[in-house]
Structures are given as structure tokens and as C-alpha cells.
Amino acid sequence: MIKLLVDILLIVINTIYQDRPYPRFYVLETVARVPYFSYLSILHLYETLGFWRRADWLKVDFAESSNKLHHLLIMESLEGSQFWGDRILARTTALLYYWIIVALYLVSPGSAYHFMELVENDAYNSYQKFLTEYETELKLEPGPANLPQNQTLVTRNLRTGTTW
């Protein structure tokens, strides 16, 4: 069932965005952020109900969500979201995906993670294929303006100033 849902999502995206890589990546990045929001919702629900309190899990989720935000900002700066239809498709898909993942997290956290893993794997493979196919052209272009100059794997908590 999980694979079928992901396959449907990818068939739609691959068909619509066959020759438009940046809008395709914009849609993928918009959708790829959703599991982190869904997971955070469930973590807050469990915390509110007193099931457990795991600050370390929240930190990881914030770091991963921040990473996805940077990916989305880069796709926007490359004009991946220029057409209103792309924005509507991305947001509508993300909204549907959010509720599917929330329900899956409640019923079967492993299945929700597997769903996310399948989408992430497709995004990774898409980027690799694109980078290989357009390597020469991409090396000649300047990077996106909003790409951090000294990108690191360290994420800073904007509220406390701590890093992890």
C-alpha cells in the first residue's frame, strides 16, 4: 500500500515535470518537508498526552526540517516555483501527504518512515541523474544567491544559539 501511494505520487510528478527539472525539484522539496511536520505534530501530541518527552528527537527533527527549508529556498531561487500551477500542485500534494503521514505515524510509525524513505530515495536519485546529465552546464553557472557560503552540517538553534 505504501509503495503504491508513493508510486502514484511519483508517476504524477514525473509525467507533469518530465522536461522541467527545477519545478519538479520544487514540488519534490515541498512534499519532502511534510514528513518532518507530520512527525513533529505526533511528537507534540505524544508529549501533550504525557506518553514521553524526548527533546533529542525534536532537535533532530528541527535540524532535518531546516535542511529541507534550505533545499526549498534554493529551488525557489532557481525559479522552480515561478508558475502558479506548480505552487498549487506542490501545496495541495503536501497537504494531502501531511494527513496521510500523520495517520500513518499514529497507526504504524515504521510505515510512515518507509513512505518518507521512498520519497527521499526518489529525490536523491533525481538529483543525481540531473547532476550527472547537466554537470558541465551547472559548473559554469553561479550558485543560487540564497545558498549559504559556508554550508556545514551543523545546525544552529535560532532561539538558544546552541548547535548540534
Side-chain angles (χ1 to χ4, degrees):
M1 174 74 168
I2 301 299
K3 179 114 173 66
L4 177 65
L5 287 172
V6 172
D7 287 345
I8 290 169
L9 171 69
L10 297 177
I11 286 169
V12 170
I13 290 174
N14 290 337
T15 301
I16 293 172
Y17 297 103
Q18 185 175 7
D19 297 322
R20 301 176 54 222
Y22 291 133
R24 180 182 191 281
F25 294 144
Y26 167 77
V27 172
L28 280 175
E29 290 301 339
T30 301
V31 172
R33 295 177 67 208
V34 168
Y36 303 106
F37 299 145
S38 302
Y39 182 62
L40 187 60
S41 296
I42 298 303
L43 288 179
H44 282 293
L45 174 66
Y46 287 167
E47 184 179 345
T48 301
L49 297 176
F51 293 153
W52 55 266
R53 285 174 170 67
R54 296 289 307 258
D56 55 333
W57 289 10
L58 290 173
K59 286 180 182 180
V60 169
D61 187 68
F62 285 139
E64 291 171 340
S65 182
S66 175
N67 182 22
K68 288 292 171 196
L69 173 61
H70 286 288
H71 293 182
L72 184 61
L73 292 173
I74 290 167
M75 288 307 119
E76 288 175 350
S77 74
L78 294 170
E79 300 182 353
S81 64
Q82 192 171 19
F83 178 56
W84 63 268
D86 297 330
R87 293 189 304 274
I88 288 175
L89 179 65
R91 292 170 186 167
T92 302
T93 304
L95 184 62
L96 292 171
Y97 185 37
Y98 172 83
W99 287 109
I100 290 169
I101 297 299
V102 165
L104 276 174
Y105 272 131
L106 286 171
V107 175
S108 174
S111 295
Y113 182 80
H114 182 61
F115 196 124
M116 179 178 68
E117 183 181 37
L118 291 172
V119 172
E120 288 288 340
N121 283 339
D122 181 74
Y124 175 80
N125 292 333
S126 296
Y127 281 128
Q128 287 303 111
K129 180 181 175 186
F130 179 77
L131 291 173
T132 302
E133 191 172 325
Y134 295 98
E135 181 178 8
T136 305
E137 295 92 330
L138 291 171
K139 286 182 177 179
L140 298 173
E141 293 182 21
N146 61 352
L147 182 65
Q149 295 300 316
N150 297 317
Q151 182 120 18
T152 67
L153 296 177
V154 176
T155 299
R156 180 172 296 282
N157 183 318
L158 298 177
R159 286 178 277 170
T160 65
T162 58
T163 58
W164 62 83

